[in-house]
Amino acid sequence: MLHYYRCISFLFIFLLVVSANDVLGQNRKQTKKLAKKQRKYKKAKKEAYTIRWTDKDSDGDGVPDKRDKCPNSPKGVPVTPFGCPVDTDFDGVYDYEDDCIDEPGPKENKGCPWGDRDGDGIPDNKDRCPDVAGLKKFHGCPDTDGDGIPDSEDECPDEPGIARYNGCPPPFIDSDGDGVSDYDDLCPNTPGTAENRGCPEIKPEEKEALKKAFENLLFESGKDIIVASSFSSLDELAKVLVNNPHYKLHLEGHTDNVGDDEANLILSQNRAKSVKRYLAQKGVKEHRISTDGFGESKPKATNDTAEGRKLNRRVEMNIIYE
């Protein structure tokens, strides 16, 4: 009986071991099969999503579109590594459109710089008279007679005149019969002398005060500030005007031709006004003093020498008798 139970137990254990081995063996086989399927699936998935780029070149310049900054460049023109046409002078005009590839210039002039045919320092694109040297204030057009009217608007370009007569001198009219044209006469209704701009002669001592003030009048360089050494002679002139209330004073500012024309005109006006302010502070009524400025338009001497330019930097003073 004992032997019988031993046999049954042995058989049970044997079957259990065999079953376990079968199960284990089956799991290994299935595991390998499953792993193979997974590898195949992963490989297929990877291949399905692989992106393949093509080197498209729309304008045929040898630079792929993906890095071509100018994908529509004209065919056959040299380009940079980024696909844009070459611009040798970096003026923003590509060489194939640039008539001056080694010299920067605006697109409006086909990549070439604006010239200056008449050599007056004003580029042709801003010069209204590009073939005749002129002045900046007249946009490159000349003023031959220096009357402030450009030749293009001046009917008498070789003779100083006034705008009222289209650049020609006014007709000779002498209301007081003193031989001085009313246009130049500071006292057109009172006979005078040419030396005193058509006004009557003043006393010698008064004329001397006027001359002294004129000769000693100095300004700081390029400014309308009166130098202190000029004060004493201006004080003498102020006394003459205060003692003669029927006198009036006309001041005219002038400069040499050094510097900008417009700036010189303004400077000449301001210097005349500075003298007026000084005399007003010394008791002369402002309404008795008139001022004007002509810049460099009425030189007294040549501007080719230092001495001549010094004479042209002046404020002329004329006493008007009324």
Side-chain angles (χ1 to χ4, degrees):
M1 193 67 178
L2 181 61
H3 179 73
Y4 172 76
Y5 284 116
R6 287 177 177 174
C7 289
I8 292 300
S9 299
F10 177 77
L11 180 61
F12 176 76
I13 294 170
F14 176 76
L15 291 173
L16 183 62
V17 170
V18 171
S19 298
N21 288 334
D22 289 341
V23 172
L24 290 172
Q26 190 178 35
N27 286 342
R28 290 194 193 98
K29 190 174 182 179
Q30 289 177 348
T31 301
K32 289 180 179 180
K33 189 182 290 185
L34 181 61
K36 186 176 181 181
K37 285 183 178 181
Q38 288 176 340
R39 286 196 298 273
K40 186 176 181 181
Y41 173 76
K42 287 180 179 179
K43 184 176 181 183
K45 185 178 180 182
K46 184 176 181 182
E47 290 176 353
Y49 286 90
T50 299
I51 299 175
R52 298 183 183 279
W53 295 100
T54 56
D55 293 334
K56 185 179 179 181
D57 182 9
S58 300
D59 53 12
D61 59 2
V63 181
D65 286 357
K66 62 184 179 182
R67 63 180 176 88
D68 195 331
K69 303 296 184 183
C70 302
N72 298 312
S73 299
K75 295 188 181 299
V77 303
V79 298
T80 66
F82 296 102
C84 288
V86 175
D87 179 12
T88 302
D89 53 16
F90 298 101
D91 59 1
V93 183
Y94 296 133
D95 285 2
Y96 74 91
E97 300 175 310
D98 198 331
D99 288 350
C100 303
I101 62 173
D102 296 315
E103 197 171 6
K107 190 173 183 178
E108 298 78 20
N109 202 35
K110 296 183 178 180
C112 292
W114 294 108
D116 179 15
R117 294 199 297 272
D118 54 18
D120 59 3
I122 303 169
D124 291 344
N125 64 314
K126 297 181 179 180
D127 197 330
R128 293 181 183 175
C129 302
D131 296 310
V132 183
L135 304 172
K136 183 179 179 181
K137 65 179 178 181
F138 296 130
H139 306 285
C141 291
D143 176 19
T144 303
D145 54 18
D147 59 3
I149 303 171
D151 290 358
S152 58
E153 302 173 13
D154 197 331
E155 293 182 2
C156 302
D158 299 314
E159 190 176 7
I162 58 176
R164 180 181 174 185
Y165 294 98
N166 300 318
C168 292
F172 186 82
I173 300 175
D174 183 11
S175 300
D176 56 15
D178 60 3
V180 181
S181 169
D182 286 359
Y183 175 68
D184 298 312
D185 198 329
L186 295 178
C187 302
N189 298 313
T190 304
T193 64
E195 293 75 15
N196 202 35
R197 298 286 295 276
C199 291
E201 284 287 350
I202 58 177
K203 297 176 183 179
E205 60 271 20
E206 295 166 351
K207 185 183 294 187
E208 181 62 26
L210 192 66
K211 179 183 177 183
K212 188 176 180 182
F214 170 74
E215 293 178 346
N216 293 330
L217 182 60
L218 294 174
F219 295 89
E220 292 187 11
S221 179
K223 300 179 181 179
D224 59 7
I225 300 174
I226 302 172
V227 174
S229 60
S230 306
F231 292 165
S232 60
S233 56
L234 287 176
D235 292 345
E236 292 297 320
L237 177 60
K239 289 179 182 179
V240 170
L241 294 171
V242 169
N243 293 333
N244 296 274
H246 56 290
Y247 284 176
K248 289 187 177 182
L249 183 67
H250 181 65
L251 303 172
E252 292 182 355
H254 302 271
T255 68
D256 58 27
N257 68 347
V258 177
D260 181 75
D261 297 350
E262 188 172 349
N264 283 338
L265 177 61
I266 295 172
L267 178 61
S268 68
Q269 294 169 343
N270 289 341
R271 283 182 169 177
K273 291 176 182 177
S274 289
V275 176
K276 177 179 179 177
R277 285 194 298 270
Y278 183 88
L279 294 174
Q281 292 172 358
K282 297 299 178 178
V284 183
K285 300 295 183 181
E286 286 195 26
H287 72 271
R288 296 174 57 197
I289 307 173
S290 58
T291 64
D292 207 344
F294 296 92
E296 59 190 66
S297 65
K298 292 186 176 183
K300 189 175 183 179
T302 178
N303 279 302
D304 295 332
T305 65
E307 184 60 29
R309 290 191 293 273
K310 181 180 178 181
L311 292 174
N312 290 333
R313 297 191 296 269
R314 67 196 190 279
V315 174
E316 293 187 354
M317 306 177 186
N318 295 281
I319 289 181
I320 303 171
Y321 178 84
E322 290 184 352

